Every structure is written in structure tokens, then in C-alpha cells.
Amino acid sequence: MRTQDSATPLTAIAVTAAVTEADTARRRTGTLQAALGVVAFSLTFPATAWGLEGFGAWSLVAARSVLAALIAGGCLLALRVPVPARAHWAGLAVVAAGVVLGFPLLTTLALKTSTTAHAAVVVGLLPLTTALLSALRVRTRPSRTFWLAALAGAAAVIAFTVQQSGGALTGADAYLFGALLICAAGYTEGGRLARVMPGWQVIGWALVLCLPLTVPAAAVALSYEPVHLTAHGVAGLLWVAAGSQFLGLVVWYRGMAAIGIPKASQLQLAQPLLTLVWSVLLLGEHLTPAAPLTAAAVLVCIAMTQRARG
């Protein structure tokens, strides 16, 4: 009896340690997945700029959604995934409106007259907006340290991107701020749904849900807007369809489900800086010496939000 009594606490400690180790591994994997999503999203604006070289704005948005839906629908059919429960369709509609239709359309229209550097302003505000909506919708309660670090990171990104664009507001800003709000809603609802179904199914069903709208829209847009097939145009379309619209959102929603919507959203503080790097490498835009300083400040803020409890 004594042997059993003495072994019981040891067994409990071993089980607790195993659970803690598994939880730590899950959070590390979730952080990596969310980070990969950020990298994929950081290429969206440069790829959109490439796509606009060969397609009109409406054609590009509709075609990317149709192509992404075909990829997602093929996966759903091949794996014989059952249709989601009726209770989830309202949330899927919010995801569809936010990340499948609203954000791509509004940012594409903005990029017709705005540079990628200026458009990065909306991404600089997106992490904070997503965290705020998450607190309201999912009832998350991040700590005060989290909010202070999030605000500091957002301020650093906004200051840098506004400085990059010369400090002037443009006509595209209305599109960008509208995209900010609707995308944050889509991220929040998608992160919530990813807790009850795989992340790839969340975006997959959202894309399929839009097909009755995107297929006719693509047919009409392609018939009215001129198409000039170039290497940049095709590459841009393929990336925003497969990379940004599907694969990026798959790992992004999985990451949010693992580490929580607020912490995942703060990883996006790095997205505008990555976008600006891609804009230099792919589009030939110019950066100021403030870029590495801002990058260092943002990385510190990200580290603080990831370590903050609550």
C-alpha cells in the first residue's frame, strides 16, 4: 500500500509534465504555422501589383477566388469531407465576406492608385483590430502587457509606413480602412471556427460558398476588362489564388486555433515590413534606412505579446 501511495504522486507529476510538454509543442507548432501564414500574406500586395499588369481589378479578384475555390473544392471532394453543420454557416459567411471577397477586392482597388508601401498601412493596423474584435467576439482577455506591446508595435509600423508614403493620405485610403475592418472580422470568425473544424476546411468551405457569386463575376469581368497575359500577370494571379487565398489561410487558421487569435494576430506586425522587403526585391520600390530600426522594434513587441500571459 505504501508503495502504491508513494507512486501515485510521481505518476501525477509525470502526467502533468507530459501534458505541459504536449501543450508547449502544440503552441510552438501553432506559432510556426501562423508565421508561415504571415509570410504568405506578405507577398499578397506585390503579387497583386504583378497581377494588375495583366488583368483588370475586378477580373483579378474574381479569378483568384474561383481558382482558389477549385483547389479547395477538389480537396474537399477528394477527402469526402462532410458539409458543415448548419450552425457554422453564418460564421463561414463572415469569413467569405471578409477574406474571400471584401479584403481582396478593396485592396486590389486601392493598389490601382496606391503603392504597396502605402497599402501596408492597413496591415499595420490589422493585428490590433483583430485583437480588439477577438476580445469582443470570442471574449478573450489578453493581459495589460499584451495590449501595451500590441499598441507599441502598431504605432511603430504605422509611423514607418506613413513615413514611407510621405505622410499623405490618398483616395485609396477609404478602400484600405474598409478592408482592414472586414478582414479583421473574417480572421476573428475563422479563428473561432478553426477550434471546431480543421483550418483548411474553414477557408475551403468559405471559398466554395462564394462560387455562385465569383463564377458569374469572373465571366462578366473577363469579358469587359482587357487581359494581357504576361509572366508577371500570371504569376501574380497564381500566387494570390493558391498562396494567399488558400494555403496561407490554411496555416493561418490552424495557428490561430493553436495559440489563440490575439497572439496569432500580433505576428502580423511583421507583415508590413516583409511586404516592403518584397516590394524592393520584386517591384523595385525604395526603402529608407529606418526599415531595420523599425523591424527590430516590431520584433521586440512581437516577443512581448507572445510571452504575455492572459
Side-chain angles (χ1 to χ4, degrees), residues 245-267:
Q245 195 83 71
F246 183 62
L247 296 177
L249 285 167
V250 168
V251 292
W252 176 243
Y253 283 140
R254 286 177 64 90
M256 282 200 294
I259 65 176
I261 297 172
K263 286 192 175 184
S265 69
Q266 297 314 297
L267 292 174

Side-chain angles (χ1 to χ4, degrees), residues 198-297:
W200 75 271
Q201 293 182 23
V202 173
I203 186 57
W205 286 114
L207 286 164
V208 171
L209 183 65
C210 292
L211 277 175
L213 294 175
T214 55
V215 170
V220 172
L222 289 170
S223 65
Y224 279 93
E225 292 181 330
V227 175
H228 305 287
L229 294 180
T230 64
H232 279 181
V234 173
L237 172 61
L238 291 178
W239 178 258
V240 293
S244 303
Q245 195 83 71
F246 183 62
L247 296 177
L249 285 167
V250 168
V251 292
W252 176 243
Y253 283 140
R254 286 177 64 90
M256 282 200 294
I259 65 176
I261 297 172
K263 286 192 175 184
S265 69
Q266 297 314 297
L267 292 174
Q268 279 198 303
L269 287 170
Q271 185 174 324
L273 300 174
L274 290 173
T275 296
L276 293 171
V277 171
W278 297 127
S279 71
V280 171
L281 297 177
L282 301 178
L283 304 177
E285 296 184 6
H286 299 285
L287 298 181
T288 66
L293 296 177
T294 308

Side-chain angles (χ1 to χ4, degrees), residues 49-118:
W50 272 9
L52 288 172
E53 294 181 15
F55 299 89
W58 294 91
S59 298
L60 181 61
V61 172
R64 70 181 275 183
S65 296
V66 171
L67 288 177
L70 292 176
I71 297 172
C75 294
L76 292 169
L77 284 175
L79 297 176
R80 298 181 180 180
V81 176
V83 175
R86 183 178 298 180
H88 299 324
W89 281 105
L92 289 171
V94 174
V95 175
V99 302
V100 176
L101 298 177
F103 187 79
L105 176 60
L106 293 174
T107 53
T108 300
L109 291 174
L111 285 171
K112 291 182 65 178
T113 57
S114 174
T115 64
T116 57
H118 188 82

Side-chain angles (χ1 to χ4, degrees), residues 34 37-42 44-45 64 91 94-100 103-104 107 122-123 125-131 133-134 137-138 179-195 202-203 244-245 248-250 252-257 260-262 264-268 271:
V38 170
V39 173
F41 299 153
S42 71
T44 300
F45 286 171
R64 70 181 275 183
V94 174
V95 175
V99 302
V100 176
F103 187 79
T107 53
V122 69
V123 181
L125 288 171
L126 187 55
L128 184 60
T129 307
T130 303
L133 289 182
S134 172
R137 178 69 176 92
V138 192
L180 161 72
L181 294 175
I182 197 169
C183 186
Y187 279 172
T188 300
E189 200 64 22
R192 185 187 67 82
L193 288 173
R195 296 178 178 178
V202 173
I203 186 57
S244 303
Q245 195 83 71
L249 285 167
V250 168
W252 176 243
Y253 283 140
R254 286 177 64 90
M256 282 200 294
I261 297 172
S265 69
Q266 297 314 297
L267 292 174
Q268 279 198 303
Q271 185 174 324

